[in-house]
Amino acid sequence: PAHIDTLASMHLSIWSHGVALLALMMAAAATVARPSLAFYGEAGCPFCRDYLLKQLVPLHESGVSNLVDVRFIPWGNAKANKDGSFSCQHGPSECVYNALLSCVIAHYPELSQWLPYAACIVQSARDVELTELQLHTHCAKAAGFRAEPIWACHNSTEGHELQLAAKAETDALTPPHTGVPWVTFTARPGASEAVPLYDGISVTTTIVCAAYPGSDRLPAACFVDPDSSDATKQLHMSSRTQQFSSVAAA
């Protein structure tokens, strides 16, 4: 009968609109513009090492990094000389590692790609008696990519230009950085101004969680008191000790 066909058509139309609305909602959730965090640091700085290992690594391992875009600008307190060379606060090796980090980030821009390499470099750059090439080779292998192209990059015009770009971005900070690690946060996607976190760097996960604009469920780490993470600190200290041992044995 005609009225049954009409009723069926109405149900189908309502169902189709419902599916379309659900698809739009899912797409909107998947494309939520995330806040952004920028970490300005240098490879040989012990405080930068602590920030990367105790804040960024847990941020990633806990899943909170899915709520924010994280960038690392490896320049810090380095200087550009008149002859085109660079001078770094913790010596020539730091300049090599900064350039290597710039190349890795350029070639492997995802946090999950460059963070393992960066963690390996910063935790060992001043603590293990290895050449720059030996440590780089070890860390590239640990991160899962070939060492040779990145080593070639850091010695090339590309590597030099990447470091100049890192310098330019660091020099353009407003207010200027007064030390490292220097971390800025932009809670409003697309905003031109980034806010320095100052002492807030010790609660990076809490800040990221509180600023996330999406409606999806937050990771469990968002509800953990950052001052009660003794077990986590011990875990990462154990991880560092194991890393030192494996690098020394390489």
Side-chain angles (χ1 to χ4, degrees), residues 10 22 33 35 63 65 84-85 90 138 142 144 152 159 168 190 219 221 223 225 236 243 247:
M10 290 175 61
L22 179 61
S65 61
S85 63
H90 301 97
H138 169 81
F223 305 97
D225 181 354
H236 285 289
Q243 182 70 37
V247 174

Side-chain angles (χ1 to χ4, degrees), residues 202-213:
S202 63
V203 289
T204 295
T205 290
T206 301
I207 291 171
V208 168
C209 293
Y212 181 62

Side-chain angles (χ1 to χ4, degrees), residues 213-229:
S215 59
D216 42 317
R217 189 176 181 84
L218 294 174
C222 289
F223 305 97
V224 175
D225 181 354
D227 290 331
S228 63
S229 56

Side-chain angles (χ1 to χ4, degrees), residues 51-71:
Y51 181 74
L52 196 147
L53 296 179
K54 296 179 181 179
Q55 297 293 324
L56 292 190
V57 169
L59 187 85
H60 179 61
E61 291 178 346
S62 66
V64 175
S65 61
N66 293 325
L67 310 181
V68 63
D69 292 323
V70 179
R71 300 175 56 245

